[in-house]
Amino acid sequence: MSPSCDFLVIGSGLAGLLSAHKLSALGSVCLLAKKEASEGNSQYAQGGIAAAVDPGDDPSQHAEDTLKAGAGLCNEEVVRLVVGDAPARVRELADLGVHFSAKGGPPDLGLEAGHSRRRVLHAGDATGREIVQALLKRCREDRGVRLCEGHVAVDLIRDSGGSCCGAYVLQRATGSVRTFTARATILATGGAGKVYIYTSNPDVATGDGMAMAWRAGATLANMEFVQFHPTCLYHPQAKSFLISEALRGEGGKLVDREGRNFMAGLHPQAELAPRDIVARAIDSELKRTGEECVFLDMTHKSADYLKSRFPTIHEKCLSFGIDMAVAPIPVVPAAHFFCGGVRTDAHGATSVPGLFAVGETAHTGLHGANRLASNSLLECCVFAERLFGHLSARRELWEQRPISPPPDWNPGKAVKSDEAVVISQNWDEIRRLMWNYVGIVRSKKRLERAFHRMELLNREIDQYYWDFLLTPDLIELRNIAVVATAVIRSAMARCESRGLHYTLDYPQPVESERHDTLLSRFSV
Ligand code: FAD
Ligand code: SIN
């Protein structure tokens, strides 16, 4: 039987969980998770969630910091509505069972790069885990939410009128593709860090929502703005482990092997300059010295303090033989966050009727050319609420839409592949190509090379897709190829440097280039 529901929510990170929980008050919800429900970027969030809750703070200051980090490309209206709603959203999280760290009564506020004051609510250094566990508990208890773990969405389905009416979904346990039909489909599939070889993101972050939306004809915006986090743990056995910016907020210094603090003098905010600046400074330091990493020095803090404020990071470092209380932590930049994504309006609606996007997969206009730290969890919460408000106020958008069963998945003449090595080779090649040619520092020549190579890879991958039976690896390979190509094309279209997009050919911002980069399959 094809499952059908009022709302199909694809993705169970913060954006998906909160959307599903809220929408279950309006109708039936199917909530899909590619692997186990908790796995996603949200679960690994460390620093916290930004909100002007301190009596001395004000949303207008939060807005100013967001706009400044965004380097001229934020949608100011969206910025103001998001930061204005932030205090209410963190209160709501607390009501849903999230425990934020507190100093006596009021929350303990952290400081991160680009913020002009302490503003980040956190749960120690495991904020994401605390939030996801609380919301997952709610969704598991919600009778209106049907959680389907191990279900990988393959493609969106559009009806004869062009509206989205659900998705084809691969069930890992059976290897079969099921048809999920819905009156409204919500993409909450997170980011795409895995498009790069070095990333802070877990394995599920392969940009599936962006790729599916693009194939369905939705508009993607600003895909060139990929945020590289300056400090991921550098150790041969450490896979994707972040060293939170909150450490720099507590006085951590970036030093080279000799202990020289190379950020001092480079920017008035030094270590707490916006992320693009710090990541580029580290990149240039690594290229200049030929070293493989720089170091984050926290030795000014006591072991007791570090253990209680940053227990997860402290323990992880110790597991690799690094005692951060006595020795600097080896760190490198890594792909962390996609500021671009599926373009939505201020309610999460995409350009395809019946299709919505929330969270990191969406481009709402909040982040502009560079996201301010800890604004992403906030964006998930605000847009889950805005989507819910919109769909409850405008029931005609979904309630009367008939759910007519679309054709079942047709595997065609696809056969089982005995060439898994081809998929892993392509996967590796794309991720390395993106790191080397479309990374922190770009140039016209590098982008053109990447583009031409991707043209060939896309043709090859498209062929496997039709020839071989679907596997999660093949689905992800196809998606990272779409996202990589979108990043390259958007980067080639931007003839300036702005925020996270830095190119040697146009090293300065150019006023006439101050607009979003829009891509749609039908405008190619
Ligand atoms: P995710 O949490 O990534 O969830 C995506 C979901 O979609 C997952 O359940 C996944 O299984 C599912 N999915 C994906 N593809 C499919 C598919 N094809 N079919 C079915 N399901 C699918 N931001 C902050 O604001 N503050 C922080 O402190 C912070 N720290 C961070 C630390 C790390 C290490 C990382 C990686 C990110 C951090 N960020 C932080 C960014 C922030 O965590 C993310 O942007 C945010 O959590 C994204 O939430 P999401 O719900 O959109 O996506
Ligand atoms: C961090 O803790 O450094 C990550 C914060 C973020 O990405 O917003």
Side-chain angles (χ1 to χ4, degrees):
M1 264 281 285
S2 300
S4 78
C5 53
D6 292 313
F7 306 106
L8 175 63
V9 179
I10 309 179
S12 60
L14 172 53
L17 288 168
L18 198 53
S19 300
H21 171 65
K22 286 170 185 272
L23 291 171
S24 68
L26 298 181
S28 58
V29 178
C30 277
L31 174 61
L32 306 186
K34 194 166 161 175
K35 288 188 170 168
E36 56 278 20
S38 58
E39 190 60 2
N41 283 355
S42 301
Q43 163 87 348
Y44 298 96
Q46 295 182 349
I49 178 165
V53 294
D54 191 69
D57 199 359
D58 188 89
S60 65
Q61 289 180 39
H62 188 179
E64 289 321 308
D65 292 344
T66 303
L67 292 166
K68 199 163 159 198
L73 272 197
C74 298
N75 177 329
E76 188 166 341
E77 210 181 312
V78 169
V79 170
R80 296 202 184 276
L81 68 85
V82 170
V83 300
D85 197 26
R89 299 284 64 86
V90 295
R91 270 197 305 277
E92 178 180 53
L93 285 180
D95 291 343
L96 287 168
V98 175
H99 295 103
F100 290 111
S101 301
K103 269 190 176 154
D108 177 36
L109 298 175
L111 176 65
E112 289 182 42
H115 288 275
S116 52
R117 56 175 301 132
R118 287 186 176 270
R119 181 182 288 137
V120 182
L121 290 99
H122 59 94
D125 60 355
T127 313
R129 193 171 62 210
E130 171 68 19
I131 296 176
V132 167
Q133 291 311 321
L135 295 182
L136 200 47
K137 183 166 179 287
R138 292 285 169 158
C139 282
R140 287 193 199 280
E141 287 164 3
D142 263 331
R143 295 196 32 214
V145 177
R146 174 173 169 197
L147 174 62
C148 303
E149 294 180 284
H151 278 68
V152 190
V154 181
D155 258 323
L156 300 167
I157 309 171
R158 292 181 76 171
D159 63 20
S160 52
S163 297
C164 182
C165 57
Y168 292 118
V169 178
L170 177 79
Q171 185 176 19
R172 281 178 190 269
T174 59
S176 59
V177 176
R178 308 173 75 193
T179 308
F180 280 70
T181 48
R183 295 184 206 280
T185 302
I186 294 97
L187 289 171
T189 44
K194 293 300 278 190
V195 168
Y196 288 85
I197 195 94
Y198 304 114
T199 176
S200 65
N201 293 189
D203 288 346
V204 293
T206 49
D208 297 3
M210 299 167 191
M212 287 190 285
W214 185 81
R215 286 192 292 268
T219 304
L220 300 183
N222 288 359
M223 294 294 285
E224 67 272 37
F225 296 111
V226 179
Q227 185 169 70
F228 291 81
H229 196 291
T231 56
C232 281
L233 182 59
Y234 177 76
H235 188 279
Q237 271 99 51
K239 191 182 164 205
S240 317
F241 187 74
L242 190 76
I243 302 295
S244 175
E245 204 157 78
L247 273 75
R248 280 175 276 136
E250 300 305 332
K253 295 277 177 257
L254 282 165
V255 296
D256 64 13
R257 198 170 283 283
E258 274 69 52
R260 186 181 64 90
N261 176 208
F262 56 87
M263 279 312 293
L266 263 183
H267 190 277
Q269 287 167 285
E271 274 78 4
L272 291 177
R275 266 182 208 172
D276 55 322
I277 291 165
V278 182
R280 268 203 302 283
I282 297 177
D283 185 67
S284 128
E285 189 65 15
L286 295 179
K287 286 186 176 134
R288 191 184 63 77
T289 59
E291 294 282 354
E292 289 182 327
C293 64
V294 296
F295 297 85
L296 182 67
D297 191 348
M298 287 301 292
T299 57
H300 63 288
K301 292 285 190 191
S302 71
D304 283 348
Y305 169 84
L306 292 171
K307 259 187 256 178
S308 74
R309 174 65 179 89
F310 302 111
T312 318
I313 296 171
H314 183 265
E315 198 185 311
K316 187 70 153 192
C317 286
L318 270 189
S319 75
F320 291 117
I322 303 157
D323 182 349
M324 64 194 270
V326 298
I329 309 166
V331 290
V332 282
H336 182 61
F337 180 85
F338 269 63
C339 292
V342 187
R343 191 179 199 214
T344 71
D345 67 10
H347 303 288
T350 73
S351 53
V352 173
L355 181 66
F356 300 82
V358 195
E360 190 171 340
T361 203
H363 172 271
T364 62
L366 172 65
H367 308 304
N370 183 22
R371 174 179 66 104
L372 183 68
S374 289
N375 263 359
S376 173
L377 295 178
L378 175 61
E379 184 184 39
C380 292
C381 296
V382 171
F383 275 85
E385 169 63 16
R386 293 189 67 78
L387 173 70
F388 167 70
H390 185 58
L391 293 177
S392 50
R394 306 231 9 228
R395 285 174 173 261
E396 75 280 6
L397 286 177
W398 57 277
E399 210 170 36
Q400 279 122 42
R401 284 188 60 205
I403 307 186
S404 43
D408 275 341
W409 177 258
N410 178 3
K413 294 198 180 97
V415 295
K416 202 167 164 14
S417 163
D418 56 357
E419 290 285 359
V421 66
V422 181
I423 291 176
S424 64
Q425 166 63 29
N426 278 175
W427 171 269
D428 231 53
E429 182 175 349
I430 295 175
R431 298 180 65 210
R432 261 178 217 290
L433 176 109
M434 291 301 286
W435 184 262
N436 290 329
Y437 292 163
V438 200
I440 298 173
V441 175
R442 300 163 178 178
S443 73
K444 255 165 91 171
K445 199 161 164 189
R446 290 178 207 171
L447 292 176
E448 274 160 16
R449 280 205 183 153
F451 182 74
H452 292 310
R453 186 64 200 137
M454 280 310 303
E455 278 189 318
L456 293 175
L457 283 165
N458 275 314
R459 277 205 287 277
E460 214 170 293
I461 293 164
D462 211 41
Q463 198 58 48
Y464 310 149
Y465 180 73
W466 296 111
D467 290 350
F468 297 143
L469 282 178
L470 278 186
T471 61
D473 286 351
L474 182 51
I475 294 168
E476 290 183 346
L477 174 65
R478 182 176 177 236
N479 292 335
I480 68 162
V482 168
V483 173
T485 309
V487 174
I488 297 166
R489 287 184 51 203
S490 305
M492 287 170 83
R494 186 166 290 284
C495 299
E496 63 164 352
S497 289
R498 181 182 296 278
L500 298 160
H501 173 71
Y502 182 79
T503 167
L504 297 170
D505 296 290
Y506 310 101
Q508 297 300 325
V510 175
E511 190 50 29
S512 59
E513 292 283 311
R514 192 151 77 84
H515 51 76
D516 292 337
T517 311
L518 304 182
L519 283 185
S520 137
R521 200 176 162 188
F522 301 127
S523 64
V524 185

